[in-house]
């Protein structure tokens, strides 16, 4: 009998504690995604009445304060008789959203333009001709908060006009965007003025992003093609380089005295000659024997040094009367 009584009171105590734990409590801060705030948003343990709306939500991305007393009264009117203020004066209600800012707009446009141009999105640079809509938000639970409606743009005509659709309150709201979108390329330019004959170093050049349309059909040199080369003319800061602007450094100057090497198995011959033109490394230049006046082609391999690439007959004629 004692065991039965103890079991009964233990069950009653558990039921009482469970009922106490299950008491509804008003939340001090509420975050919502939809257009209405429900009893379940405000109160824990709202049960079957949790989905019952009692207030409109603030505008997307904004926060509003609501009187705790009015919340309790509205909830009670809706049938949730346990509703109280739980010692609170006001409750903060925030409407969650997805900000439709410049980053989001630029990302969707850049991806669209890149797909049309057949390039990577990072190669597209966008600017806007008019201010973008301010403080615009999309539904927080929207699968596609921002979509492309219509875009008028081509890589040749960099100006664009686009209609984008923003999902708000479950409906699509169009916005108009105008600007320019250009495919950009990395171009090596001159970082400082250089005089004719200067040798280009890494400190003399820099990388700049330029419009690909501006350089279409033009051949320009990359940094790897420039370092160690000699400029053929005076060049200004910001200039780009074409193959005509640079050459290998002049190692042999016209009319300079040149040591000419001729190597064959088991024999090395060297003689002196006179250069008929300037020459950089690996250039083929004409060397004249000052005595015989014979000329031969030689490859420049160093400062005032060249190696012969002709035939034995040519070498013999060159060496004649040396």
């Amino acid at each position: 009998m004692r065991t039965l009584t103890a079991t009964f009171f233990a069950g009653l105590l558990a039921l009482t504690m469970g009922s106490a734990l299950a008491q509804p409590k008003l939340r001090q801060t509420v975050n919502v995604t939809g257009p209405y705030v429900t009893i379940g948003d405000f109160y824990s343990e709202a049960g079957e009445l949790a989905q019952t709306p009692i207030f409109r939500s603030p505008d997307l991305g904004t926060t509003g304060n609501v009187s705790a007393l009015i919340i309790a009264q509205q909830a009670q009117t809706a049938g949730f008789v346990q509703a109280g203020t739980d010692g609170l004066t006001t409750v903060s209600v925030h409407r969650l959203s997805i900000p439709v800012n410049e980053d989001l707009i630029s990302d969707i446009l850049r991806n669209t333009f890149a797909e049309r141009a057949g390039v990577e999105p990072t190669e597209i640079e966008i600017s806007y001709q008019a201010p973008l809509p301010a403080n615009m938000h999309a539904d927080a639970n929207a699968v596609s908060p921002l979509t492309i409606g219509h875009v008028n743009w081509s890589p040749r005509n960099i100006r664009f006009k686009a209609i984008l659709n923003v999902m708000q309150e479950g409906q699509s709201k169009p916005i108009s965007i105008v600007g320019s979108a250009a495919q950009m390329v990395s171009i090596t330019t001159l970082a400082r003025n250089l005089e004719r004959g200067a040798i280009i170093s890494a400190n003399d050049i820099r990388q700049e992003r330029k419009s690909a349309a501006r350089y279409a059909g033009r051949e320009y040199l990359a940094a790897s093609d420039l370092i160690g080369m000699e400029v053929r003319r005076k060049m200004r800061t910001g200039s780009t380089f074409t193959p005509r602007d640079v050459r290998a450094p002049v190692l042999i100057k016209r009319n300079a005295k040149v040591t000419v090497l001729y190597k064959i198995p088991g024999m090395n011959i060297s003689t002196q000659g006179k250069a008929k033109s300037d020459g950089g490394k690996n250039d083929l230049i004409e060397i004249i024997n000052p005595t015989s006046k014979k000329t031969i082609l030689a490859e420049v391999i160093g400062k005032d040094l060249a190696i012969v690439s002709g035939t034995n007959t040519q070498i013999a004629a060159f060496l004649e009367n040396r």
Side-chain angles (χ1 to χ4, degrees):
M1 184 67 177
R2 288 181 179 178
T3 301
L4 181 60
T5 302
T7 301
F8 171 77
F9 281 108
L12 181 62
L13 179 61
L15 180 62
T16 303
M17 292 180 63
S19 299
L21 291 175
Q23 288 298 313
K25 184 175 182 180
L26 181 61
R27 298 182 176 95
Q28 188 171 11
T29 302
V30 175
N31 292 319
V32 296
T33 59
Y36 298 99
V37 192
T38 66
I39 293 176
D41 291 324
F42 283 119
Y43 289 94
S44 63
E45 306 299 334
E48 295 180 354
L49 295 175
Q51 300 303 316
T52 303
I54 55 175
F55 285 100
R56 282 195 60 84
S57 298
D59 292 338
L60 287 164
T62 65
T63 299
N65 293 321
V66 186
S67 165
L69 179 59
I70 295 177
I71 293 171
Q73 291 173 346
Q74 291 289 94
Q76 290 172 8
T77 300
F80 192 53
V81 294
Q82 306 98 311
T85 63
D86 295 306
L88 299 178
T89 303
T90 59
V91 172
S92 176
V93 180
H94 178 69
R95 177 79 176 273
L96 298 174
S97 67
I98 299 173
V100 180
N101 51 26
E102 183 173 344
D103 288 342
L104 183 60
I105 292 172
S106 295
D107 281 346
I108 193 169
L109 288 174
R110 189 177 292 111
N111 289 331
T112 300
F113 298 147
E115 184 177 355
R116 288 194 182 184
V119 300
E120 292 297 318
T122 53
E123 296 181 40
I124 300 295
E125 188 170 287
I126 297 176
S127 60
Y128 299 100
Q129 295 179 2
L132 296 176
N135 300 320
M136 179 164 286
H137 297 261
D139 292 339
N141 54 2
V143 176
S144 300
L146 184 67
T147 57
I148 296 288
H150 173 75
V151 171
N152 184 11
W153 178 84
S154 71
R156 291 184 179 180
N157 180 16
I158 65 174
R159 293 183 179 181
F160 73 84
K161 183 175 182 180
I163 302 298
L164 306 183
N165 295 318
V166 182
M167 188 60 65
Q168 293 182 333
E169 306 289 1
Q171 297 183 343
S172 180
K173 178 181 178 180
I175 58 173
S176 179
I177 308 291
V178 292
S180 298
Q183 180 188 349
M184 308 298 287
V185 292
S186 181
I187 302 289
T188 303
T189 64
L190 193 57
R192 59 183 180 181
N193 294 340
L194 288 183
E195 297 295 327
R196 181 178 181 274
I199 305 302
I200 301 171
S201 70
N203 292 330
D204 296 323
I205 55 179
R206 64 191 176 195
Q207 297 301 122
E208 293 188 61
R209 283 172 63 85
K210 301 284 189 179
S211 171
R214 179 180 174 185
Y215 291 89
R218 295 176 56 186
E219 184 179 9
Y220 51 87
L221 299 177
S224 58
D225 300 321
L226 292 170
I227 296 176
M229 300 295 280
E230 176 183 317
V231 294
R232 292 178 177 269
R233 59 182 177 86
K234 183 177 181 179
M235 300 188 70
R236 295 181 178 273
T237 302
S239 299
T240 55
F241 295 90
T242 69
R244 297 187 302 274
D245 297 323
V246 297
R247 65 181 176 185
V250 174
L251 298 176
I252 298 176
K253 293 187 178 294
R254 184 173 180 270
N255 294 326
K257 189 176 181 180
V258 181
T259 298
V260 183
L261 304 178
Y262 177 64
K263 295 184 179 183
I264 59 175
M267 183 184 299
N268 292 329
I269 300 174
S270 67
T271 188
Q272 298 296 314
K274 182 180 179 182
K276 295 183 69 175
S277 63
D278 291 347
K281 189 175 179 61
N282 302 325
D283 285 346
L284 287 176
I285 64 172
E286 289 185 327
I287 306 292
I288 186 172
N289 183 321
T291 303
S292 67
K293 305 303 180 184
K294 301 293 184 180
T295 301
I296 195 169
L297 284 176
E299 180 183 352
V300 179
I301 61 172
K303 179 64 175 175
D304 295 329
L305 185 64
I307 187 169
V308 172
S309 57
T311 64
N312 289 347
T313 303
Q314 290 175 310
I315 295 302
F318 182 80
L319 297 176
E320 183 182 338
N321 299 323
R322 68 176 177 140

